[in-house]
Amino acid sequence: MTRIELTVNGEKRSDEVEPRLLLVHYLREVLGLRAANVGCDTTSCGACTVLLDGESVKSCTVLAVQAAGHEVLTAEGLAPEGELHPVQAAFRQNHGLQCGFCTPGMVMAAVGLLRENPHPTEAEVREGLEGNLCRCTGYHNIVRSVLGAAEAEAQVTA
Amino acid sequence: MIPAPFDYAPAESAAHALELLAEHGDDAKLLAGGHSLLPMMKLRLATPAVLIDIGRLDELAGISAEGDELVIGATTRHADLAASELVRAQAPLLAHAAAQVGDPQIRHRGTIGGSLAHADPAADLPMALVALGGSVELQGPGGTRLVSADDFFQGFFETAMEPDELLTAVRVPRRPGVPWGYQKFVRRSNDWAIVGVAALDGRVALANMGPRPLRATAVEEALAAGASPADAARHAADGTSPAEDMHADRDYRMHLARVLTRRALEHQT
Amino acid sequence: MSILGTRVLRTEDPKFLTTGGVYTEDVVDERLAGACHVFFVRSPVAHARITGIDVSAALAAPGVVAAFTGADLADLPVIPPSMSGLMNAEMKQTLLATDKVRYVGEPVAVVVVEDPYQGEDAIELVEVDYDPLPAVLGFEPDDSSLLFEAAGTNLAGRWGDPAALEADLFDGCEVVVKQTIINQRVAPAPMETRAAAAVWGEDGRLTAWVPNQGAQGTRDDLLERLGLEAGTVRVITPDVGGAFGAKFGADPEHVIVAWVARHLGRPARWTETRYENLIAMTHGRAQQHTITIGGSKDGDVQAYRLEIIQDAGAYPKIGAILPFLTMLMTTGPYKIDKAESVAAVVVTNTTPIGAYRGAGRPEATAAIERAIDLFAVEAGVDPAEVRRKNLLPEFTEPHQTKFGALYDTGNYVAALEKALDAAGYQELRTEQAKRRASGDVRQLGIGLASYVEITGMGDGPASPPTENATVEVHPDGTATILTGTSPHGQGHATAWAMLASDKLGIPVEKITLKWGDTDLIPEGGGTGGSRSLQQGGAAVQQAAEELIEVARERAAAELEANPADLIFDASRSAFAVAGDPEAAVPLTRLAEDERLVVRTVFSAPGATFPFGTHVAVAEVDTETGKATLTRVITVDDAGIVLNPLLCEGQRHGGIAQGAAQAFLEEVLYDADGNPLTTSFADYPFLSATEVPSFELANMETPTTYNPLGVKGIGEAGTIGATPAVQNAIIDAVSHLGVRHIDMPATSRRVWQALQAATTSASENA
């Protein structure tokens, strides 16, 4: 067992973990943060996406021990309870989710994308989400949601 | 989905990593970004007893210019390589290749050292390094050595690295303003290349046309003899014996190699 | 103004966007405290006798609680084939394989562990001895290696009689084309894999959490598979991360989890890995079609024959009976004087086939739409013109087809024209001609598909489609709806609330929908076959209307008025005396003394038939064969639209899955029956970069079969998109001599077709 210390959604954590514990399972089983989901075995689907030091990563392919000393942000931590982050609000506005299984990962990937590219074209949104799979929406409204969030942020900062 | 159990040994320095490698031998694997190794471990295709974590070592990070070369630390992530103004100016083919690897999340974790050491013949960075004529720095108990890209990739997921060596840096020639071409033929945008071609200044490298990234030597000879890109590209598959899989049989791969080589040579940026 | 027909945002969303849905693996419940975790040992070979299973090493591994094999389950009933009256009754399945395995991935043994991380370690230690047998694959009837010795054949059953096909069906046709085409095996691959959690109470009842498409069906399967008496099983449906037809009922794994929980006397849980999901969740499609189409040189289609071979996989399940639906829809939206179809169902050493979005109807549409295009090319008539000429004319009275389908309402030509217009069809043909003339490397293809499909079909003519709903108004101003449907992304919580809100005047946000708990809702048809709105939604509206009538009596007493003199004003959610708005009583007041609740059953006269036309535009790189889908324009007419936001979402998702089958996705096996597409790295699950944004044109031709005027939209997008995209890719290279490319039209297939056409052209020169 290894002791790790890290910050998750702004809160400091200290836990003993098996070296092989995947970050996604640390978040889900140790911390009870179950928004991130496991959808595949091959780092393909992105349902587990969280932000690590502000950058999107697939938490199924990060060991909890690798996250020690770093900051993790999950969908639960994007906005205070009862509120929606602009990206979350845009997904709701544009019906960018149906069954919801891919959604927290998709939202975190979108947040990461917009941090690096605040004004993406549609093509850049689709490429930016190439690591996130969705079976329900056909991606159409997900793209609308991300473009909508980008426009909303642009208006806020304008 | 879950790796077999292992012990975790964070390295405090490159030297410490070498000590740990020497201590554990074949039982150990190096962990940087983990995006070549961990997927294998999750499928239990790799079951090291010890993971030596070099991901936090500053001495293995960083990109700098040294004379007529860029020196790129082994733990440089693909996203940083793709975004680096220095690399985009001095070795744009490499920055472009890094931007093609996987997807954004993978590029935030995967490292150049990890990708090269993994030596997937279908991957972007091994092919790019061969096209660039770069080299890798390997540190071992006996000291440091430099291995050229042509010599580094030796077979299917096999490199010239000894089990007790650490890949510490990658060197590529600075070629600002030299036209280059890059073609990656995929089924879906974040797949590995079915066939890939990278071309720069008379060097042409192929991905997934053999067990390791190959130089399209017949193409290079034709170009050197003054052939047009279209004529030279006809030789792209000469001497190759590409694998067959669900994406392509031999004939189709060889055809793609020819088409993509012509496009890489013609669409120099 | 009515809320119906407006873009109401989903009330479900805030939860899904923040803390996330609570899927079966997420469920935290005190009843599941101390649960053990179930892992399956699965066959690595496609066809073999089992000669020995040794679990001793596994039992000695850390954290292993128990291990079981088929022998331990011997007293449980055997699973008969679906519709065993029509399918060979010997093609039975045991929960765990006993003497034989019949597909890679078939469950052979179970290991139970304390912590899920120990499970994969433990199953590696189970040793199973296999004596391999030759694997049977593909569509050709092959009895050389029998899957079920007692059956004496690998033919599971037939629909129709091949001997009754008319030899002279195509006599008199100036143009006849025959082609064998494949509607390939695909993986439903919902983002949430299968899972279960089970616990037995002190009262001897089983409570099972299972992601499903109808808790009542899952409960009934568990009762039957475990040999239990009615009333002993409660199924609770957590949030479900997609299903697409593959989460009906209870699979052997679900049953085994429940059995383990009883046997060990402690709760048990299971979550499938993606590897298991891709090889052991039922697959979809897998039909081979021999299509023959004939008609006149000016584009009149006079005869059509469809010969189907259904690969059912190793055990006849829902997939084995889907050809019945394919045949039902043989001629689709066309008037074709002479048409016939037959089907044979074979078992093979592959994963069993189940339902997958469209379930039998996409196959029919794909076959006839390919046939129409083949005919059009042969006759030299524009494919849009062939469709225009042969589509059934508009009808408002039900139209009976000779295949036994009673189409309710349809206006197929209008849908075609609307789609062509929205696509700018003539401009597309002009651009295509330009590129053909210049020999552009990137050629343009335009693909059409006109379709009609059957939704909300019920259990057959003897039992028409029904659904129940319970609506209750509470004194605090909220309301609760109980539904027999089972949403898994479709948005029923919002849509059913809209229907109740419209009638009752209670705001959508104050209405809660409950579903999927068989103790709360013992009857229900679930969600599948695009039935939910037209039956479940209609039931909700009906229940709300009936509730108002119950409330009317109470209001009359309250206001000391004649019930006939009262008007219910939904905008105020109150009864008032006609002509005296001040003399009013709010609906909620009428719930204070006695519960105000109504349960009703809505009964539809029959299935409804949505229809449409899809236009797909594809660019093909003729040097590499790679096709890029650049536009998809659709008309999907499923009657009145209740919530355009939700309806569009269903169309988008359906179009994407349909397109994915046309040019990307396929489950592959090697010659020994080993699956090759066992992860999302190998199985080319569609991502955002492979499809464009879709262009939806709207048309609403109401049905008369329910007061909402709605048909089912859930599967229509898939049905139209697949052949439209396939036809587009072929159309892009048809001028180079390519007549047909099987799905998925991968770059390799396109390139090979171009090579073959070039070779044949030079041979014929």
Side-chain angles (χ1 to χ4, degrees):
Chain A
M1 298 289 268
T2 304
R3 175 151 295 274
I4 60 171
E5 283 173 16
L6 65 160
T7 304
V8 180
N9 294 339
E11 282 184 25
K12 291 203 187 309
R13 294 288 320 196
S14 176
D15 293 286
E16 290 257 314
V17 302
E18 249 193 291
R20 64 174 174 166
L21 182 67
L22 304 176
L23 178 61
V24 65
H25 289 134
Y26 171 71
L27 294 170
R28 289 174 54 83
E29 305 304 326
V30 177
L31 302 190
L33 296 168
R34 295 189 173 87
N37 290 313
V38 173
C40 75
D41 318 315
T42 48
T43 322
S44 306
C45 80
C48 64
T49 303
V50 299
L51 297 190
L52 186 64
D53 295 339
E55 295 174 319
S56 60
V57 300
K58 296 187 176 183
S59 62
C60 70
T61 311
V62 177
L63 300 171
V65 292
Q66 288 180 292
H70 294 279
E71 289 189 19
V72 178
L73 186 66
T74 74
E76 293 98 328
L78 267 186
E81 201 183 316
E83 292 175 34
L84 293 180
H85 181 279
V87 171
Q88 290 165 323
F91 268 76
R92 178 163 191 232
Q93 196 66 34
N94 291 280
H95 189 38
L97 62 150
Q98 291 183 22
C99 83
F101 197 84
C102 77
T103 303
M106 192 71 74
V107 165
M108 297 316 287
V111 172
L113 164 66
L114 291 174
R115 283 188 187 185
E116 293 182 358
N117 184 359
H119 307 293
T121 62
E122 174 168 342
E124 286 169 343
V125 171
R126 287 181 181 275
E127 273 163 36
L129 295 178
E130 63 186 342
N132 289 77
L133 301 180
C134 171
R135 206 46 159 168
C136 294
T137 67
Y139 303 103
H140 182 116
N141 280 346
I142 289 175
V143 172
R144 291 267 130 346
S145 300
V146 179
L147 291 173
E151 200 181 305
E153 301 257 353
Q155 298 206 359
V156 165
T157 55
Chain B
M1 179 57 209
I2 306 298
F6 57 86
D7 288 328
Y8 175 71
E12 284 151 33
S13 66
H16 183 214
L18 288 174
E19 280 167 30
L20 290 166
L21 272 175
E23 184 189 331
H24 295 287
D26 282 341
D27 286 341
K29 280 242 177 254
L30 294 163
L31 176 71
H35 272 48
S36 295
L37 179 61
L38 290 176
M40 303 241 305
M41 290 176 66
K42 286 166 66 180
L43 296 174
R44 301 197 173 206
L45 297 173
T47 51
V50 180
L51 281 196
I52 300 167
D53 189 351
I54 55 170
R56 302 170 196 276
L57 298 179
D58 286 337
E59 66 191 282
L60 296 181
I63 304 171
S64 59
E66 237 178 64
D68 61 357
E69 286 185 318
L70 291 183
V71 183
I72 298 151
T75 59
T76 302
R77 301 170 311 153
H78 306 317
D80 294 331
L81 201 51
S84 160
E85 301 221 6
L86 183 59
V87 180
R88 289 160 70 110
Q90 303 291 322
L93 189 158
L94 187 64
H96 181 85
Q100 309 310 308
V101 177
D103 55 55
Q105 291 96 316
I106 286 171
R107 295 194 285 274
H108 286 141
R109 296 293 296 168
T111 66
I112 186 168
S115 176
L116 296 178
H118 188 60
D120 183 338
D124 295 278
L125 290 173
M127 169 178 80
L129 195 73
V130 169
L132 286 160
S135 55
V136 300
E137 256 179 36
L138 302 175
Q139 224 180 89
T144 306
R145 61 188 182 117
L146 208 57
V147 180
S148 72
D150 288 332
D151 296 332
F152 183 69
F153 302 104
Q154 298 192 337
F156 193 61
F157 292 87
E158 250 184 71
T159 70
M161 275 177 80
E162 297 295 337
D164 57 1
E165 281 183 312
L166 178 64
L167 194 162
T168 50
V170 179
R171 289 172 174 272
V172 299
R174 296 168 67 169
R175 312 302 306 277
V178 175
W180 55 275
Y182 197 94
Q183 293 284 318
K184 181 179 180 182
F185 191 79
V186 291
R187 187 180 50 178
R188 294 172 304 170
S189 70
N190 72 336
D191 284 342
W192 284 266
I194 295 173
V195 174
V197 180
L200 175 89
D201 197 29
R203 288 176 69 97
V204 180
L206 306 173
N208 217 358
M209 288 297 290
R212 57 194 187 91
L214 301 176
R215 295 270 297 282
T217 44
V219 174
E220 294 177 353
E221 281 161 13
L223 287 172
S228 68
D231 287 337
R234 282 189 230 288
H235 300 281
D238 289 7
T240 65
S241 189
E244 308 213 309
D245 56 27
M246 68 175 77
H247 306 297
D249 58 16
R250 269 181 50 108
D251 283 346
Y252 185 49
R253 269 212 159 81
M254 292 170 78
H255 170 77
L256 285 175
R258 291 187 285 264
V259 172
L260 298 175
T261 296
R262 196 198 79 237
R263 292 180 179 184
L265 292 174
E266 284 173 347
H267 303 147
Q268 310 249 356
T269 46
Chain C
M1 218 198 73
S2 173
I3 199 181
L4 303 188
T6 67
R7 305 172 80 86
V8 175
L9 299 184
R10 294 199 331 172
T11 56
E12 302 92 312
D13 287 354
K15 172 188 90 168
F16 285 111
L17 288 164
T18 55
T19 53
V22 180
Y23 306 94
T24 301
E25 196 185 40
D26 301 333
V27 170
V28 173
D29 190 293
E30 57 182 13
R31 289 169 286 188
L32 294 171
C36 57
H37 297 268
V38 174
F39 282 77
F40 290 94
V41 176
R42 297 181 181 274
S43 172
V45 294
H47 197 194
R49 284 190 216 293
I50 299 174
T51 54
I53 307 180
D54 182 357
V55 299
S56 54
L59 283 170
V64 176
V65 175
F68 304 105
T69 68
D72 296 299
L73 307 177
D75 59 344
L76 289 179
V78 162
I79 305 170
S82 290
M83 288 188 99
S84 45
L86 289 159
M87 295 295 130
N88 192 304
E90 292 302 327
M91 296 181 174
K92 301 178 278 208
Q93 182 182 28
T94 48
L95 293 170
L96 287 174
T98 49
D99 56 320
K100 281 186 87 167
V101 288
R102 297 181 174 87
Y103 65 100
V104 172
E106 180 165 10
V108 173
V110 175
V111 178
V112 185
V113 292
E114 293 286 358
D115 182 283
Y117 265 46
Q118 297 160 325
E120 290 178 41
D121 303 337
I123 55 176
E124 279 181 348
L125 300 172
V126 173
E127 286 175 28
V128 186
D129 294 319
Y130 296 101
D131 203 1
L133 297 164
V136 173
L137 304 163
F139 297 102
E140 289 312 307
D142 177 0
D143 284 349
S144 63
S145 175
L146 295 176
L147 270 75
F148 304 90
E149 284 79 3
T153 176
N154 287 328
L155 180 74
R158 286 192 183 284
W159 303 92
D161 179 5
L165 294 174
E166 294 190 32
D168 60 359
L169 197 74
F170 298 90
D171 284 4
C173 293
E174 293 170 323
V175 175
V176 179
V177 182
K178 185 173 184 176
Q179 183 88 35
T180 296
I181 69 176
I182 307 291
N183 199 297
Q184 84 278 24
R185 176 184 290 253
V186 292
M191 290 311 296
E192 182 208 18
T193 60
R194 296 175 301 163
V199 63
W200 294 76
E202 311 227 322
D203 58 358
R205 292 185 86 222
L206 166 67
T207 300
W209 290 258
V210 177
N212 63 69
Q213 296 182 240
Q216 298 79 12
T218 299
R219 172 204 57 206
D220 294 345
D221 271 5
L222 287 169
L223 285 169
E224 194 179 316
R225 305 269 177 267
L226 291 167
L228 300 172
E229 281 175 29
T232 55
V233 173
R234 176 186 188 185
V235 171
I236 297 174
T237 310
D239 289 321
V240 176
F244 310 108
K247 286 181 177 171
F248 283 113
D251 290 347
E253 290 94 332
H254 300 119
V255 179
I256 290 167
V257 172
W259 181 89
V260 166
R262 181 173 66 183
H263 192 87
L264 296 179
R266 69 189 275 195
R269 306 185 76 144
W270 166 66
T271 302
E272 171 178 65
T273 64
R274 182 57 66 185
Y275 167 74
E276 292 181 277
N277 175 262
L278 289 173
I279 64 171
M281 173 180 255
T282 50
H283 291 155
R285 310 282 188 264
Q287 286 187 3
Q288 176 183 276
H289 299 144
T290 299
I291 50 180
T292 316
I293 185 166
S296 69
K297 279 199 288 254
D298 65 0
D300 181 36
V301 176
Q302 293 156 343
Y304 175 66
R305 176 185 295 141
L306 173 62
E307 296 165 84
I308 302 165
I309 302 182
Q310 172 76 59
D311 174 354
Y315 297 95
K317 294 187 183 291
I318 296 174
I321 56 184
L322 293 179
F324 169 74
L325 292 175
T326 310
M327 290 167 62
L328 187 72
M329 303 305 295
T330 298
T331 46
Y334 299 103
K335 53 175 164 35
I336 302 175
D337 294 331
K338 295 181 286 178
E340 53 188 15
S341 55
V342 286
V345 182
V346 297
V347 289
T348 63
N349 292 114
T350 58
T351 304
I353 299 289
Y356 174 56
R357 201 161 193 169
R361 294 98 70 200
E363 294 88 322
T365 299
I368 196 161
E369 290 308 290
R370 199 72 280 285
I372 294 283
D373 263 30
L374 283 165
F375 173 76
V377 167
E378 196 63 27
V381 180
D382 183 299
E385 182 58 23
V386 172
R387 287 174 172 84
R388 189 179 287 119
K389 269 174 116 84
N390 290 283
L391 286 171
L392 286 162
E394 181 182 7
F395 59 94
T396 47
E397 291 297 310
H399 168 88
Q400 178 78 56
T401 75
K402 67 186 281 273
F403 291 92
L406 185 64
Y407 297 172
D408 56 341
T409 60
N411 193 353
Y412 308 139
V413 175
L416 170 70
E417 300 298 3
K418 185 148 201 173
L420 293 174
D421 188 56
Y425 184 69
Q426 289 312 323
E427 288 82 3
L428 289 168
R429 286 291 179 205
T430 303
E431 173 64 23
Q432 179 183 58
K434 204 172 96 187
R435 293 198 199 189
R436 286 180 173 185
S438 68
D440 204 321
V441 167
R442 301 189 68 81
Q443 286 294 317
L444 196 71
I446 304 129
L448 305 179
S450 289
Y451 71 90
V452 61
E453 89 109 339
I454 178 172
T455 64
M457 65 194 91
D459 289 335
S463 66
T466 67
E467 190 48 83
N468 71 81
T470 303
V471 174
E472 179 164 8
V473 172
H474 307 293
D476 66 357
T478 64
T480 303
I481 306 170
L482 306 183
T483 180
T485 66
S486 194
H488 40 279
Q490 294 87 344
H492 296 178
T494 302
W496 290 191
M498 287 170 67
L499 290 165
S501 174
D502 176 66
K503 290 290 173 190
L504 304 176
I506 295 174
V508 165
E509 315 77 67
K510 294 195 176 211
I511 303 176
T512 303
L513 181 70
K514 295 189 180 178
W515 70 91
D517 180 340
T518 57
D519 272 10
L520 197 58
I521 305 160
E523 286 171 35
T527 289
S530 306
R531 67 181 296 272
S532 296
L533 178 59
Q534 59 188 296
Q535 288 157 32
V540 171
Q541 185 181 72
Q542 183 172 289
E545 288 169 346
E546 291 177 10
L547 183 143
I548 288 172
E549 293 316 301
V550 169
R552 183 184 298 278
E553 297 299 318
R554 299 184 194 181
E558 183 86 5
L559 295 170
E560 293 174 342
N562 191 322
D565 293 335
L566 295 181
I567 296 174
F568 182 73
D569 182 356
S571 68
R572 299 166 62 192
S573 190
F575 282 96
V577 177
D580 186 5
E582 298 304 305
V585 60
L587 189 62
T588 52
R589 158 82 194 95
L590 302 170
E592 281 171 15
D593 301 329
E594 191 191 341
R595 286 180 71 185
L596 183 53
V597 56
V598 166
R599 180 182 188 274
T600 195
V601 175
F602 173 78
S603 193
T608 60
F609 292 81
F611 59 91
T613 292
H614 285 206
V615 180
V617 183
E619 278 194 349
V620 172
D621 180 330
T622 53
E623 285 179 343
T624 64
K626 179 148 191 191
T628 303
L629 186 57
T630 57
R631 292 178 67 198
V632 183
I633 305 100
T634 81
V635 169
D636 302 293
D637 186 330
I640 302 297
V641 175
L642 171 65
N643 182 329
L645 199 60
L646 301 181
C647 182
E648 288 162 12
Q650 290 303 304
R651 292 168 72 182
H652 296 154
I655 292 165
Q657 280 184 298
Q661 181 179 8
F663 75 109
L664 198 60
E665 294 184 19
E666 182 175 21
V667 171
L668 289 172
Y669 286 88
D670 70 12
D672 297 318
N674 296 305
L676 301 175
T677 44
T678 58
S679 76
F680 279 163
D682 301 315
Y683 184 79
F685 186 113
L686 185 83
S687 74
T689 50
E690 280 77 58
V691 284
S693 289
F694 307 121
E695 301 163 56
L696 305 186
N698 296 318
M699 208 169 116
E700 295 179 44
T701 303
T703 181
T704 52
Y705 283 22
N706 59 73
L708 297 171
V710 304
K711 308 184 188 184
I713 192 59
E715 294 157 290
T718 304
I719 291 168
T722 299
V725 174
Q726 182 186 26
N727 281 342
I729 295 171
I730 296 167
D731 182 65
V733 292
S734 66
H735 65 298
L736 299 170
V738 174
R739 285 290 161 271
H740 179 71
I741 304 173
D742 264 333
M743 303 191 290
T746 59
S747 57
R748 171 192 191 170
R749 281 216 168 101
V750 174
W751 181 74
Q752 285 172 339
L754 285 168
Q755 296 306 108
T758 312
T759 311
S760 123
S762 58
E763 278 168 5
N764 292 334

